[in-house]
Amino acid sequence: MTRRLYLHIGMHKTGSTAIQETLKAYDDGTTAYLRLAHPNHSYGMTMLFCAEQAAELVQIGWVGSLGELEQKVADTRQRVESQISSGRQHLIVSGEEMSARFGASEIERLRAFFAQFFYEIRVIAYLRAPHAYMSSALQEVVKTRPCSLLE
């Protein structure tokens, strides 16, 4: 029986949050959505596979210290491995930051880890035309941060 990992890495502003919120509780007995602290697995995957960038999580206040980060990394690894061992045939992981932050070495670490458990890894990536991405990104900035376009 083929075990399959569905790895969703759509770029920002492609509906990733809606996909993650919709799938966060998905479990049909055969396929399950990975349950971490947040439905967006970007932080979890960054902690596990991007040691250099994981330290930035302390700087942005996601964790209070390097010691707390180390504990979160250990907890996240245990949660991932526990869910992989749960008997579900397929697993869904979704984190758009992987498309922006992961270089070749991080991708290889992720692949090597999941290849121990899954026969097939399917990558699903959503892309947007540059003008559509820029328009959406600007709308997000205007929506979330007060700014004047006249200055």
Side-chain angles (χ1 to χ4, degrees):
M1 188 175 287
T2 300
R3 289 192 81 199
R4 187 173 298 127
L5 173 71
Y6 295 97
L7 184 62
H8 169 245
I9 60 168
M11 64 184 282
H12 287 281
K13 312 311 298 171
T14 58
S16 298
T17 301
I19 290 168
Q20 293 155 354
E21 286 297 321
T22 300
L23 292 176
K24 69 183 177 185
Y26 185 81
D27 185 346
D28 67 4
T30 301
T31 303
Y33 191 78
L34 179 66
R35 287 184 176 88
L36 294 179
H38 193 278
N40 179 347
H41 301 136
S42 293
Y43 286 141
M45 295 301 108
T46 297
M47 285 190 304
L48 292 178
F49 304 111
C50 298
E52 307 80 32
Q53 293 185 25
E56 292 176 17
L57 299 176
V58 176
Q59 295 172 346
I60 65 171
W62 194 69
V63 292
S65 67
L66 286 175
E68 186 181 341
L69 176 63
E70 290 173 6
Q71 184 60 51
K72 280 190 179 273
V73 169
D75 292 346
T76 300
R77 182 172 301 280
Q78 188 278 326
R79 286 184 80 172
V80 170
E81 289 176 352
S82 171
Q83 289 176 63
I84 288 171
S85 303
S86 72
R88 300 298 183 277
Q89 187 176 353
H90 310 301
L91 185 67
I92 303 167
V93 173
S94 176
E96 66 274 7
E97 268 314 303
M98 289 183 278
S99 67
R101 290 183 175 255
F102 281 35
S105 60
E106 291 83 12
I107 292 168
E108 177 52 30
R109 282 196 289 273
L110 179 142
R111 188 212 58 79
F113 173 79
F114 283 113
Q116 300 172 81
F117 309 102
F118 297 96
Y119 179 76
E120 182 179 346
I121 299 173
R122 288 194 180 175
V123 177
I124 302 160
Y126 292 95
L127 305 173
R128 287 186 84 170
H131 71 279
Y133 171 78
M134 291 171 61
S135 173
S136 183
L138 177 61
Q139 290 172 22
E140 187 71 20
V141 168
V142 171
K143 185 170 58 175
T144 59
R145 290 182 235 155
C147 66
S148 171
L149 298 177
L150 302 175
E151 293 177 2

